[in-house]
Amino acid sequence: MPLASIPSPSEGVWYLGFIPIRAYALCIVLGVVVAVWLSERRWRARGGQSGTIIDIAVPAVIFGLIGGRLYHVITDWQTYFGDRAIKEPYQALFIWEGGLGIWGAVALGGVGVWIACRRRGLSLSAVADTVAPGIAFAQAIGRWGNWFNQELYGGPTTLPWGLEIDIRHGGEPGVLYHPTFLYESIWNVALGFTLLLVGKRFSLRHGRLFALYVAGYTLGRFWIEGLRIDPVGGVDHAVTFLGLRINQWTSIVVFAGALVYLWATRDKDTAEIVVPASARGDGGAAAADPAHPADQADEDELNRPAGSPGADNPDDPGGDKTGDPGGAAGTDHPEGADSLDDVGRDQAADAKDAATVASDGLAAREEKNAR
């Protein structure tokens, strides 16, 4: 046995009374928390509303867990079904025992995000770019759940960071194995920081940063997957095609798709919606009270006594001309307050009428005296 090695945990489950606390589940939850926290900060920095990512994360996580488990069961179906199955079919539902395919998690989780974005009126591409670094960090944390479960390890190695695997998990006494969970965790951390730097430096939009995440992840996953010896698609062996494992072929296809997307959207620069129309006042508060801007208070009108000038008084439709000519601008008069010229004309007309009355009175008195 080499002097240096990485021991595997003897237990991956602890009990709080009769409640099992599973390390695998804790790692997944911690990864989700970190991803949501980082993505929420990035969304607000982009101008989005606080709490949006938290709301979107709920359907994304639910759909993602379902998709991840489906991919695992489909690619490892012989573990649960068939004559050589080593587990009962109902155990395919036991997600806490490990087995989440990242491909299914991202694919179906993306459906959950799409539904949430569509309901809120947000651009899916904007959300995808925002959460990309957080997903990479979440995967880095989640991979430590595989360490607790003693799974996803590579072939034998004499390197000082070789991983100890006990016999009940497929290991052999005195043999160390490549800690592929650790390789992928380190790769994902580096990828997450790279995405943060690249996104800040080049301001990638319209899903291009997410596509870069996909390309970066699959690039690392391809060579890490080549080190693994645990079975995928079979009970005691991994299903291969042309010398490559299933997940390696998946990496190739998804990597190519990411490159195609990057090329197809290289010149796309249209605006993306990060704040829904209702939050901007379009069809919201302004539509409910069209006489006022969305941020204009009605307190002055509500506190104005009944019958006072300008308070819906039919005897004074023009408002208080001595203190507020024309009333409140933009409310009772859509065109705003009367101009000073209009006020001057009104005053001249009143003076003319008074002079006419005085002249008529004087003429009447002179006529009476003459009689």
Side-chain angles (χ1 to χ4, degrees), residues 271-285:
E272 294 179 287
I273 301 174
V274 297
V275 178
S278 58
R280 298 195 301 268
D282 300 339

Side-chain angles (χ1 to χ4, degrees), residues 65-248:
L65 290 174
I66 296 174
R69 190 60 176 179
L70 283 175
Y71 183 88
H72 166 74
V73 173
I74 290 173
T75 54
D76 284 322
W77 66 272
Q78 295 183 58
T79 300
Y80 306 96
F81 309 99
D83 297 336
R84 302 183 62 197
I86 59 177
K87 294 184 178 181
E88 295 296 329
Y90 65 85
Q91 289 183 283
L93 303 175
F94 293 177
I95 192 173
W96 53 86
E97 293 183 353
L100 286 175
I102 184 60
W103 318 111
V106 172
L108 208 56
V111 174
V113 174
W114 175 76
I115 293 174
C117 288
R118 187 174 176 85
R119 293 182 62 182
R120 285 176 166 266
L122 300 173
S123 294
L124 175 63
S125 58
V127 174
D129 288 334
T130 301
V131 304
I135 294 178
F137 289 125
Q139 289 178 263
I141 297 172
R143 275 305 178 204
W144 286 86
N146 302 128
W147 178 54
F148 281 96
N149 286 355
Q150 296 194 44
E151 58 187 3
L152 273 66
Y153 53 85
T157 180
T158 57
L159 294 172
W161 54 80
L163 180 66
E164 300 175 16
I165 299 293
D166 60 36
I167 297 177
R168 60 193 177 98
H169 289 92
E172 297 181 10
V175 179
L176 299 180
Y177 301 88
H178 277 289
T180 52
F181 84 92
L182 179 60
Y183 298 160
E184 186 170 335
S185 181
I186 294 174
W187 180 273
N188 287 331
V189 169
L191 176 60
F193 281 112
T194 299
L195 292 172
L196 290 175
L197 293 175
V198 171
K200 184 176 181 180
R201 174 66 178 82
F202 298 102
S203 299
L204 297 180
R205 294 289 188 268
H206 295 285
R208 290 191 287 269
L209 190 67
F210 186 83
L212 188 62
Y213 148 73
V214 172
Y217 175 76
T218 53
L219 182 64
R221 181 65 183 267
F222 179 83
W223 70 267
I224 293 172
E225 191 72 22
L227 297 174
R228 288 172 56 179
I229 61 172
D230 56 307
V232 174
V235 175
D236 52 8
H237 66 283
V239 175
T240 61
F241 178 71
L242 297 179
L244 298 178
R245 293 162 63 97
I246 292 176
N247 286 330
Q248 286 183 294

Side-chain angles (χ1 to χ4, degrees), residues 336-355:
D338 294 337
S339 65
L340 294 178
D341 292 339
D342 292 336
V343 175
R345 284 194 297 269
D346 291 341
Q347 292 174 345
D350 293 340
K352 183 178 180 180
D353 292 341

